[in-house]
Amino acid sequence: MLALEARDLTVSARIGAATVPAIRALSFQLAPGKILGLVGESGAGKTMVGRAIAQLLPPGFAITAGALLFEGEDLLTMAPARRRALLGRAIAFIPQAPMTALNPVLTIGAQFDEHLARLGLKSRNARRERAIAMLTAAHLPRAEDLLTQYPHQLSGGMCQRALIALAFAGNPRLVVADEPTTALDVTMHPPILHLIAEMQRQHGTAVIFITHDLRLAAQLCDDVIVMYAGRAVESGPARTVFATPAHPYTRCLQLANPAMSAERRTLYVLPDQMPSLVQLQHIAGCHFAPRCPLVTAECHREEPPQVAVTAVHTVTCIRAADTFGISTAGRSFGPPALLEQPLLRVENLSKHFAISRGLFGAARTVAAVNDVSFTIAENEFVALVGESGSGKSTIARLLVGLEQPSSGRIVFDGADLTTPSLRNRTRRAASLQMVFQDPQSALNPRRPIASIVTQAMEAGSRHASAEDRLKRTKELLAEMGMPADIAARLPGQLSGGQRQRINIARALCRVPKVLIADEIVSGLDVSIQAQLLSLLARLRAELGFAMLFISHDLSVVRHLCSRVLVMYRGEIVEQGPVEEVFGNPQHPHTQALLSSVPPDEPGATWPLLRAN
Amino acid sequence: MAGSLAHALRSPRVLLALAMVLGLGVCAIFAGFIAPHDPGEQNLLSILTPPAWAPDGDPSFLLGTDSLGRDVLSRLIYGARTAMLVAVFASFGAMIIGTILAHIAGYFGGAVDWIIGRLVDVWMSFPPVILSLILMVGLGVGLDRVILAIVLVDWTRFCRVLRSEVLIVRRHDYVAAARLLGFSHWQTIVREILPATLPLLITLFSLEMAIAVVVEAILSFVGLGVGPNQAAWGQMIADARQYVYQSPWNLLLPIFAIFFAVAAFNLLGDGLRRTLDVRLAQAER
Ligand SMILES: Nc1ncnc2c1ncn2[C@@H]1O[C@H](COP(=O)(O)OP(=O)(O)O)[C@@H](O)[C@H]1O
Ligand code: SF4
Ligand SMILES: [Mg+2]
């Protein structure tokens, strides 16, 4: 018997007077003990499938057709009491944001106790035993102590382990894991994925694994469904689908992802973004048509039917035979950096933060950055990588002057910037600029776009005229590849990718010598990321600036940068040309970072997942 | 900002409040044209006349007269002028001082924040009415003294609430970004932070007007207000106390006037808070 089967599952949203399908006629079969991956970018409808199974749809959404059979019984038509008995027991969920999924006012022990009591374990002692056994199985050390702790006392990775233990505590027959590693640090990804895979094997559970990472899905899943705008555009065995993608969207996503081992190549830039439900109403025929490189007139006429590539591999496209022809041109490297002349020299930079520990505790200092030295040459793109909390952002804030160093020097163009003076501040503003990670927070929601991108022109006592600012706005928007008519809009009216471009444009208003970019593509969809990465490479060629690119995504670093600095606990533990460092990592932390990236080839094995 | 103001003007609560405030404003500004009599003119032949609709009423004194034969309607209208003058200027003064200190404290943080925070704490440890009474004893009576006393007492209200708002706004990266683009501290506060705190500021200002009306009435009631030559609602209540059985209207009408003004400003403040508060509005959406 199948663990879960969806038959033409349709979820619709009410938008004004119209109903728009958010999931349309989705069908799949999941056998016990198998992992089914749902992949695609945000807005594809992946999470909606999980919510449909949990019967927790957002307001305005409803399941309007189809069936969802759990071990042969339809979840949609069964008695509510029966469904409640299944959810949380036979069907368990692993959430995306572990820190917020646990109740902050209850100890881990209390939450296990409550859950196990609901599962029908009568004796208090038996519940405690079981909780300890599950936490130990989730590789959490000192499980007894853990039971008395509150969620905020644990790291994100530990919370997620506890939640996984909680999910598997009831011996579920189906687990839905929605991007279980997205909110966690990169170095935490492999162990968490490993744990899910291990638990799944031990308990013989069927898993629906939702992710945007194609390489990860290829490693972890047995079968995958690639989703686009609410439709399953391609499905089949994971390795087959990714080795021989038949739908243009799957192929483009793969080509938009920078490679980790193969020759560096230009990224495939899918134009635009996933249509919203409102936009979807106005797209006739194939939903992917507005962005598809293979589109023909016929694609607009009607929705393409599902066709079989092989017995197990299906695709929803009328030109699937041509998909493999989509490719990108070879890589063009930017102008070589002038390494003999470092533009920015950081010498023995340290930053200590004082943290007072309660009323009577002695003041303690932490070294967020400890004796760090590096250089950046003109036009050079240097990457700064490391796990979160390693001090990357602190270095960025020290460079631009948002924090004062405890010791050390920052020499720019021959002058020491660390002595605070008005002249240094002006120099900094003109030559060092920073792009913040989160455009939501970095863009003043009350300023129109035109005012944001030319904000540098209203600093100090000299004010640029309105015409000058408007002229510069037009130039900058054109530079960013954005339409001029967004100049009058507010940040809230733009999409995430557009906002990040505005964020970059503002820093480039008076073209700086060095741009400091703190995780500016993290959390963005692959196609948006590819757009921004190509934009940065083009801007360097046109405007000429160096960049310190802070990231935890090594494939992005490899694609964009020529040199890399690896940080670990406030220190730079390894640095050198990207090819050398990645090809032959010396420091254990560099090795750990590298091994946390799934291999490019869908057929290759990823040692981390298969181990033990 | 313009958009949210337009949004606020569509709220019936705000519209009703604005109409009430407008009525008070018209009375205050055009008191000389509207009032049928001089508010100080004593008519010793017709003291304690009941309102015109009562059996012994006199149509030339629509709301009757007080114990000195002064026209109650005219005194109410001139009392509105006193109340509005105090409300506007006292709230404005308290707002200026409180806002400046709140922005300095919240923006710079550290020692500056600590000093301003302690100052507010000490200030707020006095009950406000007692503090203003003490101040009035020291300052002497008069319209300007009443305003000064309220400013000195109530700036802390603005300072405390706005400071925490500034702290929230300050955490946004766009404030740091402005500094990196070369904005001075002053420019950053005025162009990046103040626009974000403005809705709260407007709301607090409106609520403060209601408080100022009440404080002015209390001070006038105990004879430490605007002085005997100026009509004030608190004074009218004090005068009418002894004749409450002969002419209850003389007591009820000024009480009603105070109630009306306080309700108008509270309603306005509440309505503005609901429509202007960006975070609240987003959460509801
Ligand atoms: N203002 C601060 N006060 C105290 N500790 C801080 C402060 N800023 C950063 N830290 C600490 O410094 C370390 C490095 O942080 P950060 O530079 O943000 O790392 P990353 O950017 O690599 O994630 C962390 O342990 C962090 O908690
Ligand atoms: S049906 Fe046409 S538009 Fe749709 S994916 Fe295939 S080729 Fe592209
Ligand atoms: Mg960081």
Side-chain angles (χ1 to χ4, degrees):
Chain A
M1 185 167 35
L2 290 169
L4 189 71
E5 179 177 7
R7 284 193 199 142
D8 292 324
L9 180 70
T10 303
V11 176
S12 302
R14 244 180 311 104
I15 294 175
T19 36
V20 187
I23 301 285
R24 91 182 25 211
L26 179 71
S27 298
F28 61 78
Q29 300 189 332
L30 173 59
K34 295 284 180 197
I35 305 184
L36 171 69
L38 297 182
V39 299
E41 296 176 290
S42 56
K46 310 184 296 292
T47 298
M48 201 63 72
V49 176
R51 282 171 165 251
I53 296 168
Q55 306 263 312
L56 281 174
L57 291 169
F61 287 78
I63 299 173
T64 45
L68 203 47
L69 309 179
F70 175 71
E71 297 180 339
E73 281 180 276
D74 193 351
L75 284 170
L76 307 181
T77 54
M78 69 174 55
R82 169 90 184 110
R83 191 165 58 223
R84 269 198 303 279
L86 287 176
L87 293 176
R89 293 180 178 84
I91 305 176
F93 297 85
I94 300 174
Q96 182 166 0
M99 305 299 261
T100 56
L102 286 165
N103 186 340
V105 301
L106 292 182
T107 59
I108 302 294
Q111 303 192 36
F112 261 93
D113 195 66
E114 201 174 274
H115 183 63
L116 293 172
R118 267 206 326 129
L119 292 177
L121 260 167
K122 290 286 181 312
S123 128
R124 225 190 141 71
N125 266 334
R127 293 203 292 264
R128 193 182 141 79
E129 298 287 294
R130 178 99 176 114
I132 291 173
M134 286 311 294
L135 288 171
T136 313
H139 305 292
L140 280 162
R142 295 194 313 279
E144 289 90 346
D145 300 347
L146 210 61
L147 290 179
T148 63
Q149 288 184 311
Y150 289 91
H152 70 264
Q153 294 170 300
L154 312 183
S155 69
M158 290 169 84
C159 281
Q160 191 61 294
R161 280 173 194 271
L163 280 162
I164 292 169
L166 213 48
F168 281 96
N171 284 319
R173 300 191 291 282
L174 173 68
V175 165
V176 181
D178 189 354
E179 307 244 11
T181 55
T182 307
L184 303 176
D185 215 67
V186 243
T187 46
M188 283 314 298
H189 292 190
I192 291 292
L193 297 170
H194 185 240
L195 176 65
I196 293 178
E198 186 184 75
M199 289 280 205
Q200 180 265 338
R201 272 198 300 270
Q202 272 171 19
H203 295 253
T205 317
V207 172
I208 292 187
F209 191 85
I210 297 174
T211 180
H212 61 269
D213 189 337
L214 304 192
R215 282 187 288 215
L216 172 60
Q219 291 299 321
L220 191 67
C221 304
D222 298 297
D223 293 306
V224 290
I225 297 176
V226 182
M227 296 189 67
Y228 186 84
R231 274 202 98 173
V233 292
E234 182 163 9
S235 61
R239 295 196 173 200
T240 316
V241 167
F242 295 127
T244 54
H247 197 278
Y249 178 60
T250 318
R251 176 82 178 141
C252 291
L253 273 189
Q254 277 185 325
L255 292 173
N257 241 326
M260 215 34 213
S261 50
E263 180 120 11
R264 296 198 213 187
R265 50 166 171 74
T266 37
L267 301 180
Y268 190 87
V269 180
L270 265 177
D272 221 338
Q273 58 176 352
M274 175 102 53
S276 67
L277 286 178
V278 178
Q279 291 165 331
L280 213 50
Q281 291 174 277
H282 310 295
I283 300 179
C286 176
H287 290 168
F288 189 56
R291 303 174 75 192
C292 183
L294 299 181
V295 62
T296 61
E298 202 185 332
C299 301
H300 295 290
R301 223 162 290 145
E302 59 186 24
E303 272 193 48
Q306 201 172 54
V307 292
V309 182
T310 66
V312 286
H313 184 178
T314 59
V315 63
T316 321
C317 171
I318 53 173
R319 297 197 57 196
D322 301 328
T323 294
F324 220 74
I326 304 172
S327 67
T328 53
R331 167 161 174 127
S332 61
F333 283 86
L338 307 167
L339 277 171
E340 312 82 53
Q341 283 183 334
L343 185 63
L344 180 76
R345 212 167 61 237
V346 172
E347 297 171 354
N348 309 102
L349 195 68
S350 293
K351 175 69 185 176
H352 303 275
F353 288 109
I355 45 172
S356 54
R357 326 209 69 219
L359 201 50
F360 301 107
R364 215 163 53 91
T365 62
V366 289
V369 173
N370 198 2
D371 197 19
V372 159
S373 302
F374 62 90
T375 60
I376 298 178
E378 221 161 302
N379 250 342
E380 190 184 24
F381 278 16
V382 177
L384 183 58
V385 302
E387 60 185 356
S388 78
S390 59
K392 308 184 298 293
S393 297
T394 308
I395 288 192
R397 297 173 69 84
L398 286 167
L399 286 179
V400 294
L402 288 172
E403 302 275 4
Q404 294 308 312
S406 308
S407 64
R409 301 206 309 155
I410 299 168
V411 184
F412 179 80
D413 221 357
D416 186 1
L417 288 180
T418 36
T419 42
S421 70
L422 190 64
R423 212 175 131 252
N424 270 344
R425 234 177 72 71
T426 326
R427 280 178 72 101
R428 253 191 181 130
S431 44
L432 280 178
Q433 278 300 329
M434 174 157 168
V435 185
F436 292 86
Q437 171 173 2
D438 175 15
Q440 186 90 24
S441 162
L443 304 180
N444 188 338
R446 285 165 207 83
R447 273 183 188 266
I449 299 307
S451 161
I452 290 176
V453 293
T454 58
Q455 203 180 339
M457 298 169 84
E458 68 174 83
S461 43
R462 16 179 204 92
H463 285 269
S465 67
E467 296 92 78
D468 282 353
R469 289 185 70 169
L470 207 60
K471 186 161 154 279
R472 187 75 187 117
T473 304
K474 288 214 181 92
E475 289 168 8
L476 278 167
L477 289 179
E479 202 75 82
M480 296 291 138
M482 301 175 86
D485 66 317
I486 65 162
R489 290 203 218 153
L490 293 171
Q493 296 164 310
L494 303 187
S495 70
Q498 286 178 319
R499 266 184 238 155
Q500 197 58 291
R501 283 181 207 218
I502 295 301
N503 202 5
I504 296 170
R506 173 177 61 186
L508 292 178
C509 177
R510 288 182 298 179
V511 185
K513 289 269 189 240
V514 182
L515 192 67
I516 293 152
D518 191 355
E519 304 267 15
I520 58 171
V521 294
S522 312
L524 294 177
D525 278 322
V526 180
S527 61
I528 310 292
Q529 171 181 294
Q531 289 169 8
L532 286 173
L533 293 178
S534 330
L535 175 71
L536 284 171
R538 179 169 62 75
L539 288 174
R540 165 165 69 175
E542 285 173 15
L543 307 173
F545 55 86
M547 180 159 70
L548 182 68
F549 186 81
I550 299 177
S551 179
H552 62 254
D553 188 333
L554 299 188
S555 57
V556 168
V557 162
R558 183 173 178 273
H559 175 80
L560 194 65
C561 302
S562 49
R563 221 145 48 80
V564 60
L565 319 169
V566 183
M567 270 198 103
Y568 184 59
R569 303 207 173 155
E571 292 177 26
I572 293 184
V573 294
E574 186 161 3
Q575 59 173 304
V578 170
E579 299 295 343
E580 256 171 55
V581 173
F582 285 10
N584 185 16
Q586 297 302 311
H587 193 273
H589 186 63
T590 318
Q591 290 162 358
L593 284 176
L594 280 165
S595 61
S596 68
V597 185
D600 287 342
E601 290 304 317
T605 46
W606 188 24
L608 264 174
L609 205 60
R610 303 289 154 204
N612 107 22
Chain B
M1 189 64 211
S4 47
L5 266 184
H7 178 58
L9 287 182
R10 279 198 300 273
S11 141
R13 191 186 297 260
V14 172
L15 283 180
L16 173 65
L18 276 179
M20 289 165 79
V21 171
L22 193 70
L24 286 167
V26 167
C27 285
I29 295 168
F30 301 107
F33 298 101
I34 303 173
H37 298 268
D38 184 309
E41 179 194 303
Q42 303 185 358
N43 237 310
L44 293 177
L45 291 178
S46 43
I47 59 169
L48 295 177
T49 318
W53 60 84
D56 310 335
D58 177 345
S60 70
F61 300 111
L62 259 182
L63 297 179
T65 60
D66 67 3
S67 60
L68 293 174
R70 293 175 297 194
D71 179 36
V72 169
L73 177 61
S74 305
R75 286 183 72 71
L76 278 178
I77 292 171
Y78 274 89
R81 170 177 282 187
T82 307
M84 288 306 105
L85 277 174
V86 170
V88 169
F89 284 100
S91 305
F92 201 73
M95 178 181 83
I96 296 286
I97 297 178
T99 304
I100 290 176
L101 288 177
H103 281 75
I104 290 175
Y107 178 80
F108 289 104
V112 181
D113 187 25
W114 190 87
I115 292 170
I116 294 176
R118 290 303 80 75
L119 188 66
V120 170
D121 284 347
V122 170
W123 221 269
M124 288 189 105
S125 60
F126 295 103
V129 171
I130 309 279
L131 185 58
S132 40
L133 283 174
I134 296 170
L135 279 170
M136 286 310 289
V137 171
L139 293 168
V141 297
L143 188 68
D144 47 349
R145 317 291 160 83
V146 173
I147 291 172
L148 186 61
I150 296 177
V151 169
L152 287 180
V153 172
D154 277 354
W155 65 270
T156 51
R157 261 182 234 281
F158 285 89
C159 192
R160 173 164 284 189
V161 178
L162 280 172
R163 176 188 161 272
S164 37
E165 184 75 6
V166 173
L167 282 181
I168 293 169
V169 177
R170 202 203 179 313
R171 277 203 290 269
H172 289 288
D173 286 335
Y174 66 78
V175 178
R179 285 285 291 159
L180 297 188
L181 294 171
F183 275 36
S184 64
H185 289 304
W186 173 250
Q187 283 179 320
T188 309
I189 292 178
V190 172
R191 304 213 194 131
E192 301 296 299
I193 296 184
L194 191 60
T197 54
L198 202 58
L200 182 60
L201 195 69
I202 295 174
T203 305
L204 285 178
F205 181 77
S206 174
L207 296 176
E208 178 62 27
M209 301 245 282
I211 294 169
V213 167
V214 173
V215 173
E216 186 269 322
I218 293 173
L219 292 177
S220 298
F221 179 80
V222 299
L224 286 170
V226 292
N229 309 331
Q230 232 164 334
W233 293 337
Q235 228 171 41
M236 293 174 71
I237 298 173
D239 291 345
R241 264 178 315 167
Q242 302 158 31
Y243 310 100
V244 63
Y245 295 111
Q246 290 104 305
S247 53
W249 286 105
N250 283 3
L251 188 68
L252 293 176
L253 286 167
I255 290 177
F256 173 74
I258 293 169
F259 178 79
F260 182 84
V262 169
F265 291 127
N266 275 334
L267 205 58
L268 185 63
D270 192 45
L272 288 177
R273 185 185 59 76
R274 282 162 191 256
T275 44
L276 288 186
D277 190 341
V278 191
R279 244 172 313 127
L280 191 74
Q282 272 168 358
E284 277 170 6
R285 234 171 265 143

